[in-house]
């Protein structure tokens, strides 16, 4: 997309954000050739630090195709934040919608207008102990299959070393390197023209997340776990462990009472 369409608000944000990013982070950015020069597309990006949206936006800004991030629709309604969100062309997500596709209607419209829409498919900072991408949510796949636009997998690493997930204080020294690798478009053609069921969206999402993870393996020079971390599965396992502990505690209490009773009778 030509830089003339970046707009005042995005340029203002760049003026404010770029200087500290340049000071704090070295840059090792690769794969820019995979960013489409025109037309709408999606980037699917891993998320491992509260800083990485700014650093990733810096990378994307330098390609000339600025990203439009998804955010809660309530942030767009009033005040300076709302004006900045609207001015920079960020994408509202209507979570109150009962229709899953309608929740992403603004993202679909943006892609159809020729914009780049950036998705963090994990939906939140990764909880994987080693920082690998988790299982993804289906929003990116839903928009991609509705619009049939290119999906560019993007891996980033380094912001998490500056500010680890859920940490309060950054690790400023030594200076960290923000590494980004954008890959070729994910092939989703086998999903086109099929009913958009939950199973189909799940499978398409797994394909997207596998591509993002593959890029991150190259960035890190390591192999990811065979099975991605699943927060929902972990919550279920945690509930099971809690219930088991509660049951053991109850059994121990009963046994203690019975032992006390037997001791009393023996006296």
């Amino acid at each position: 997309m030509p830089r003339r369409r970046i707009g005042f608000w995005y340029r203002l944000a760049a003026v404010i954000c770029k200087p500290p990013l340049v000071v704090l982070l070295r840059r090792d950015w690769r794969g820019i050739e995979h960013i489409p020069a025109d037309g709408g597309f999606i980037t699917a990006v891993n998320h491992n630090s509260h800083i990485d949206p700014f650093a990733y936006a810096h990378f994307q800004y330098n390609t000339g195709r600025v990203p439009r991030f998804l955010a809660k629709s309530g942030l767009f309604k009033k005040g300076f934040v709302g004006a900045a969100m609207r001015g920079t062309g960020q994408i509202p997500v209507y979570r109150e919608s009962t229709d899953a596709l309608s929740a992403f209607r603004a993202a679909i419209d943006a892609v159809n207008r020729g914009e780049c829409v950036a998705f963090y498919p994990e939906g939140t900072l990764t909880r994987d102990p080693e920082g690998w991408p988790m299982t993804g949510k289906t929003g990116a796949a839903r928009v991609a299959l509705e619009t049939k636009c290119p999906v560019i997998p993007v891996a980033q690493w380094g912001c998490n070393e500056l500010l680890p997930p859920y940490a309060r204080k950054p690790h400023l020294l030594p200076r960290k390197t923000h590494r980004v690798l954008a890959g070729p478009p994910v092939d989703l053609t086998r999903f086109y023209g099929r009913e958009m069921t939950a199973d189909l969206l799940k499978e398409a999402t797994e394909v997207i997340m596998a591509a993002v993870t593959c890029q991150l393996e190259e960035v890190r020079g390591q192999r990811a776990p065979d099975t991605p971390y699943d927060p929902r599965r972990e919550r279920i396992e945690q509930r099971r462990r809690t219930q088991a502990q509660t049951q053991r505690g109850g059994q121990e209490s009963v046994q203690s009472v019975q032992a006390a009773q037997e001791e009393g009778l023996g006296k």
Side-chain angles (χ1 to χ4, degrees):
M1 181 172 292
R3 282 190 176 276
R4 62 184 173 81
R5 294 192 60 185
I6 287 178
F8 166 78
W9 280 97
Y10 231 121
R11 292 185 187 278
L12 176 62
V15 168
I16 295 171
C17 296
K18 285 177 70 174
L21 290 171
V22 170
V23 170
L24 293 172
L25 293 164
R26 298 185 182 91
R27 289 171 289 172
D28 178 10
W29 293 347
R30 293 177 287 152
I32 291 176
E33 68 275 10
H34 295 303
I35 301 298
D38 51 45
F41 66 101
I42 287 171
T43 57
V45 192
N46 68 306
H47 191 16
N48 53 30
S49 173
H50 287 300
I51 295 175
D52 68 44
F54 300 98
Y56 166 68
H58 186 193
F59 161 80
Q60 192 75 43
Y61 182 92
N62 279 23
T63 71
R65 302 299 309 272
V66 295
R68 312 299 183 182
F69 291 95
L70 281 79
K72 294 183 294 185
S73 58
L75 294 175
F76 293 75
K77 292 182 179 178
K78 58 183 179 180
F80 177 80
V81 172
M85 297 292 283
R86 295 191 300 271
T88 54
Q90 307 312 312
I91 308 295
V93 177
Y94 299 94
R95 293 180 177 176
E96 68 276 10
S97 174
T98 57
D99 179 359
L101 194 59
S102 295
F104 294 98
R105 62 182 178 271
I108 292 170
D109 291 343
V111 170
N112 287 334
R113 288 196 307 270
E115 300 279 5
C116 165
V117 177
F119 274 87
Y120 281 115
E122 297 162 277
T124 186
L125 289 170
T126 183
R127 291 185 172 86
D128 181 89
E130 300 299 323
W132 292 104
M134 302 186 295
T135 54
K137 300 183 183 299
T138 60
R142 193 179 295 273
V143 174
L145 296 183
E146 178 69 18
T147 61
K148 295 182 174 61
C149 70
V151 179
I152 309 300
V154 181
Q156 57 179 339
W157 190 258
C159 288
N160 54 302
E161 297 173 340
L162 175 61
L163 184 67
Y166 308 105
R168 295 184 178 182
K169 294 182 179 180
H171 302 160
L172 299 177
L173 296 175
R175 190 181 179 206
K176 309 303 187 290
T177 299
H178 182 226
R179 297 179 173 85
V180 179
L181 178 61
V186 181
D187 183 5
L188 298 176
T189 54
R190 67 181 180 276
F191 301 108
Y192 293 169
R194 296 166 57 183
E195 183 181 358
M196 207 177 294
T197 62
D199 287 342
L200 180 80
L201 290 170
K202 182 176 182 291
E203 186 180 352
T205 299
E206 289 172 351
V207 171
I208 293 171
M209 293 308 300
V212 175
T213 302
C214 182
Q215 300 303 309
L216 188 57
E217 287 181 326
E218 184 171 342
V219 169
R220 295 178 60 175
Q222 299 174 345
R223 181 174 174 80
D226 292 333
T227 302
Y229 183 92
D230 186 342
R232 183 168 54 182
R233 184 175 62 239
E234 181 61 27
R235 286 194 297 269
I236 293 172
E237 291 299 323
Q238 181 60 44
R239 283 198 295 268
R240 288 175 179 170
R241 289 193 293 267
T242 300
Q243 290 172 355
Q245 290 172 356
T246 301
Q247 290 173 354
R248 284 198 299 270
Q251 290 171 353
E252 290 172 358
S253 297
V254 170
Q255 291 170 355
S256 297
V257 170
Q258 290 175 342
Q261 290 173 342
E262 290 172 358
E263 184 179 350
L265 289 174
K267 293 179 179 179

